[in-house]
Amino acid sequence: MPTPYFITTAIPYVNARPHLGFALEIVQTDAFARWRRLLGQDVRFLTGTDENSLKNVQAAEREGIPTRDLVERNAAEYYALRDSLNLSFDDFIRTSVEPRHLDGVRKLWAACNRRGDIYKRAYRGLYCIGCEQFYTEDELVDGLCPEHQARPEVVEEENYFFRLSRYGDRLLDLIESDQLRIVPHTRKNEVVSFVRRGLVDFSLSRSTARARGWGIPVPGDPDQVMYVWFDALGNYITALDYANEGEAYQRYWAHNPNRTHVIGKGIIRFHAVYWPAMLLSAGAPLPTTIFVHGYITVEGNKISKSLGNVIDPVDLAKHYGTDALRYYLLREIRSTDDGDFALDRFIRAYNAGLADQLGNLLNRVVSMIGRYYSGVVPAPGEPDPIDRDLTAAAIGLGDRIASAMDRFAPHDALAAIWDVIGAANKYVDDTEPWVLAKRRKAGDAAAEARLAAVLYNLIETLRLVACYCTPFIPAAAAGIAQQIGLPIDSHGDWAAWGRYPAGTSVHPGGVLFPKID
Ligand SMILES: [Zn+2]
């Protein structure tokens, strides 16, 4: 049975339509999921929407519509990313309506409660609704929330609390030993020093009145609803039928060595501290890996509605193509750092990487096979020293990608693929198949053998490039596969050199990536 691999995005608030920042996260996660599938693993890729936030209530109030309607409408927009970004998620959970979630978080609450980790007390604190989080005075910057530059409100009420203070030592041990692996290392260090400063219990509920009646009621106390982060974090297991500890929970959580969360750097405390502590309390296994990506700015500025620079990823994909957008997000943005979206850079990257290099290589190779061999791929001849650079690069590609993807670095994986594409274009220039074809015409048998070998090496390189491109630009990969006359194969030893069957016909198609002016 193939190894299970469970991977999730964070679930976004649905107070607005999806923006580029979430597109980055879900496209990265999709690439990780598709890569694992290519390796033959049994992948479960989960995403969904975080619907019980007060932000959603406020957004609905501004529009003058019921919260339920707003949540419904925006959740559908998030689901629709599946088509516009060509995503392969296996499951999508909505936290305000699905019984599996409501039952699951009630079970999670009860489990923490049984452990004695939930208690009630009066509380006064500074709360940022944007973050759905309490801040201490010294965490604020000039009295404002560091994420939202907004003044938090003073909240005073009786709440349930979670005994986070109990779990500091165990969390430190798990994180420092990489039993809970946090990638990249800088983020791990950040969490370790946060835990070392000492953990304080956090509020686990709010009054139903302050929540305007929106949220999941605390079991046995209808005057309180659960803290939205408690219920949202729970989605990672409630989606797997934690409520009944059913088959999916057993396979993808309880007995799975690969439980991976992909998150943005702003919510690391919730995922690397609160969530593991909740699971320790409930007696459930922890995630094994948390990958933290950076933020994306637009033309150098933080994405914000007030700046009016909210770029719609759906529009971008519609206008320039889904793979064009995926390529930019995965190649041009170093996954662990902050990155920037700029339209001129986007167009330059597209023209250089996709049109001039990949598209051009495909076009050259398929049309030469059409011209010199009537579209039927010849058998490979004897290898020549000049072939070595290309074949070695193509053969080593799998290991380079694997090492990059283990570090959650799709930009490095794509750089490796593009090294091979560059080597293949250079190989065409160096071997000059058109000269070989002329000499063949004049009856040169050695030229005939060389021409066959060169074109075979190129089509075989294209086959591997197509396979390795599937996690990143899946539609283009399928387009290449179509033109070289082979389906993408993820079974058997597809990664071995020389698997392209000679005698196969190519199917020249349209230009894969037309140049953008
Ligand atoms: Zn905030």
Side-chain angles (χ1 to χ4, degrees):
M1 214 176 194
T3 326
Y5 188 88
F6 182 57
I7 189 163
T8 68
T9 67
I11 50 173
Y13 295 132
V14 288
N15 58 334
R17 305 192 54 211
H19 63 64
L20 201 56
F22 184 66
L24 172 70
E25 177 167 312
I26 201 163
V27 165
Q28 285 176 345
T29 311
D30 188 63
F32 302 139
R34 286 180 187 268
W35 166 247
R36 296 289 167 170
R37 286 193 202 104
L38 196 60
L39 296 181
Q41 298 189 0
D42 169 18
V43 174
R44 178 97 152 203
F45 167 13
L46 168 72
T47 187
T49 42
D50 178 359
E51 305 186 350
N52 297 316
S53 165
L54 198 49
K55 282 209 241 193
N56 298 332
V57 179
Q58 291 177 329
E61 276 174 359
R62 278 194 298 275
E63 287 192 35
I65 59 174
T67 308
R68 185 148 307 288
D69 293 358
L70 176 110
V71 157
E72 187 85 39
R73 185 192 72 203
N74 285 338
E77 300 265 9
Y78 277 89
Y79 190 89
L81 293 178
R82 187 180 179 83
D83 288 335
S84 43
L85 301 179
N86 197 0
L87 304 171
S88 63
F89 53 79
D90 303 290
D91 195 4
F92 186 101
I93 188 165
R94 293 190 50 203
T95 59
S96 75
V97 285
E98 295 192 36
R100 62 175 168 164
H101 182 69
L102 306 177
D103 293 346
V105 291
R106 279 194 281 265
K107 178 184 167 110
L108 188 61
W109 181 285
C112 296
N113 196 31
R114 258 199 316 277
R115 189 64 64 97
D117 285 333
I118 296 180
Y119 63 96
K120 207 172 186 183
R121 73 166 159 99
Y123 185 71
R124 184 174 190 278
L126 298 163
Y127 196 78
C128 173
I129 293 175
C131 295
E132 297 282 10
Q133 179 185 353
F134 281 104
Y135 280 100
T136 58
E137 292 278 4
D138 58 336
E139 286 172 325
L140 302 177
V141 177
D142 300 326
L144 306 178
C145 161
E147 284 283 318
H148 293 91
Q149 287 79 48
R151 194 166 297 282
E153 58 181 71
V154 178
V155 168
E156 193 165 10
E157 64 185 26
E158 196 170 50
N159 286 167
Y160 290 95
F161 274 73
F162 179 80
R163 268 185 230 285
L164 185 65
S165 52
R166 225 188 212 184
Y167 292 98
D169 289 345
R170 286 186 66 194
L171 285 175
L172 264 186
D173 182 46
L174 291 164
I175 294 167
E176 286 186 317
S177 65
D178 286 337
Q179 288 173 74
L180 169 52
R181 176 180 169 231
I182 301 172
V183 181
H185 217 77
T186 46
R187 300 294 169 201
K188 172 181 170 177
N189 295 343
E190 186 184 318
V191 176
V192 165
S193 58
F194 175 77
V195 177
R196 280 227 179 95
R197 284 198 295 274
L199 297 178
V200 291
D201 297 350
F202 65 95
S203 164
L204 211 52
S205 70
R206 60 170 65 123
S207 73
T208 306
R210 183 158 66 89
R212 326 264 174 93
W214 186 252
I216 302 177
V218 167
D221 188 348
D223 292 338
Q224 297 266 319
V225 297
M226 290 180 193
Y227 178 38
V228 64
W229 271 106
F230 181 87
D231 109 64
L233 290 164
N235 95 87
Y236 301 127
I237 57 173
T238 63
L240 296 173
D241 191 25
Y242 169 70
N244 303 300
E245 300 191 24
E247 225 171 279
Y249 178 77
Q250 299 301 333
R251 174 145 184 80
Y252 296 102
W253 194 266
H255 304 292
N256 173 9
N258 304 299
R259 304 179 289 264
T260 300
H261 298 317
V262 176
I263 60 164
K265 63 179 185 176
I267 53 175
I268 187 167
R269 189 182 302 178
F270 299 99
H271 284 80
V273 180
Y274 290 17
W275 173 231
M278 285 158 54
L279 289 166
L280 285 173
S281 173
L286 271 48
T288 55
T289 306
I290 299 176
F291 167 66
V292 188
H293 63 78
Y295 281 168
I296 188 166
T297 53
V298 171
E299 315 273 353
N301 293 305
K302 186 176 173 182
I303 299 174
S304 92
K305 265 188 238 163
S306 49
L307 278 173
N309 67 346
V310 178
I311 289 221
D312 190 329
V314 177
D315 289 346
L316 271 179
K318 215 179 272 168
H319 197 81
Y320 296 102
T322 295
D323 281 340
L325 177 58
R326 290 178 62 112
Y327 177 76
Y328 186 90
L329 294 174
L330 296 169
R331 173 100 200 255
E332 295 293 310
I333 294 178
R334 296 180 59 83
S335 59
T336 51
D337 301 345
D338 289 344
D340 188 51
F341 180 88
L343 197 58
D344 60 340
R345 198 172 140 214
F346 173 80
I347 291 171
R348 264 204 316 277
Y350 171 95
N351 282 336
L354 296 175
D356 291 347
Q357 293 182 63
L358 177 55
N360 189 36
L361 177 66
L362 174 67
N363 187 45
R364 287 169 108 180
V365 173
V366 168
S367 59
M368 285 192 291
I369 289 169
R371 205 170 318 130
Y372 306 141
Y373 288 94
S374 310
V376 180
V377 174
E382 286 299 305
D384 185 278
I386 201 176
D387 304 338
R388 225 176 278 146
D389 282 353
L390 177 64
T391 52
I395 290 167
L397 185 55
D399 285 344
R400 284 186 68 191
I401 298 175
S403 129
M405 296 302 264
D406 283 348
R407 289 179 286 111
F408 297 91
H411 50 280
D412 286 341
L414 282 163
I417 298 174
W418 257 256
D419 281 351
V420 171
I421 293 168
N425 274 317
K426 182 172 179 298
Y427 180 76
V428 175
D429 299 339
D430 290 348
T431 54
E432 300 183 304
W434 46 92
V435 173
L436 294 171
K438 253 188 219 148
R439 283 170 41 200
R440 176 180 71 161
K441 231 179 185 172
D444 183 339
E448 154 71 32
R450 267 290 68 211
L451 182 62
V454 164
L455 291 178
Y456 183 87
N457 289 339
L458 285 166
I459 200 97
E460 171 63 348
T461 301
L462 271 173
R463 180 186 72 84
L464 287 170
V465 163
C467 289
Y468 286 121
C469 275
T470 45
F472 313 100
I473 46 172
I480 298 168
Q482 211 272 325
Q483 294 206 29
I484 67 170
L486 283 187
I488 298 250
D489 185 3
S490 63
H491 303 288
D493 57 345
W494 60 268
W497 177 264
R499 297 277 297 170
Y500 189 98
T504 305
S505 292
V506 297
H507 305 283
V511 175
L512 209 53
F513 295 106
K515 250 183 136 141
I516 304 172
D517 293 327

